[in-house]
Amino acid sequence: VDFESFTLSSSFRFGPDIARLAAEVLDFKSHYSSHQKVPIEGLGKSEKILTKAVLARTNLGLLLKAIEYVTESKKIKHIYFEGNIHSYTYADDGASLYDVLHLHLGRKEQIRDKLIRGMKDMKELEDYIGKTEDMQLGMMVEIVKEYGVNIPRIIKSIKDKHVGDEERDKAQMIFTTVHRCKGMEYDAIQLAGDFITEEKLEKLNEPKNRINLNPARLNEEINLLYVAVTRAKKSIHLPEDLLPRDFPDSPHIHVMRNALALSAKEASKQVPHKPEEKEKAYDVEQVRSRHKDAYKPWTQDLDDELTVMYCEGVHVKDLMKHFGRTRGGIVARIKKLELPELYD
């Protein structure tokens, strides 16, 4: 319909830093089209952090973050999922996390999905993921290899902690996909690593890949990242590969270094790690091969950063990746700073 189009000029939800991030996310479209810049003025003045949410592009990306959250945070009593919590164990094509688990355990007769049932074993599925770069299947494999037979128990724990709509205010963390949170807002948000990245867009625009370029689909993916970013009122934590290049430092936008979603190829190579295993530190160099800043002194700036991330609900696994420290190092520093006593 030939109506005149207008763009959002200002928002009272968030301040100038988030407004700039939102505008630069939209500028990702310039990699493959003649995108006209959209200036957005952020006029919001949110002060307190009352509502905290984790946002993901896909059901499985969100489920992975929820599993990490409930297994790492023993004190969590109440969480809330926007939408139907039972749908989060399924990929967009209908495959279930339990199908991959049954393949992993050799229970092929219990697999419902045709594609997964046709796989001989996990190695064949991982080879398929490596060739197709199917991110959702890759995340399923990541979850199954890390948590194995504990998955049903963990998902039951997630459902037990889930509160109904009438008790949403009790939730210590809200989990939602970007589709389900359109129109919503939260004081502080964390983004999962399953959104489109600027690097991926550049790769898709290479001459060898241009024949399969789908601008409408890419526009939709970028718009979804824009919607996710603009749900925040005060603070955003996001993986470093989602941040636009040369974006300036901001007290309201926190980059989670190395806290990236595994690509399908990386997921197929991932070595299983059991959550209950304790770190075995035989020497400093060996530990630093996995945690680059282990045993280094904590500075006031690092303590301040840790305090902010702790208060905004970032779980231990992402804190480990962000600070390059061991689990024990993070937990010990949290206790040293008395963060649970001060802020829980």
Side-chain angles (χ1 to χ4, degrees), residues 317-335:
K317 183 170 287 189
D318 276 341
L319 292 175
M320 290 167 60
K321 295 174 183 176
H322 180 79
F323 289 102
R325 310 275 179 155
T326 65
R327 182 188 309 276
I330 292 292
V331 172
R333 198 62 187 174
I334 288 173
K335 290 180 178 178

Side-chain angles (χ1 to χ4, degrees), residues 1 38 59 69 77 98 106 111 125 147 193 261 266 291 296 338:
V1 181
V38 180
N59 286 339
Y69 194 72
K77 294 182 179 179
Y98 291 106
I111 299 174
L125 177 60
Y147 299 100
E266 288 171 324
H291 311 283
K296 289 185 179 179
E338 299 181 344

Side-chain angles (χ1 to χ4, degrees), residues 126 138 141-143 145-146 262-273 290 317 321:
E126 290 168 10
V141 169
E142 179 186 353
I143 294 170
K145 291 180 75 171
E146 178 147 354
L262 291 176
S263 70
K265 289 182 180 179
E266 288 171 324
S268 67
K269 298 175 184 176
Q270 185 75 358
V271 177
H273 168 72
R290 294 178 58 192
K317 183 170 287 189
K321 295 174 183 176

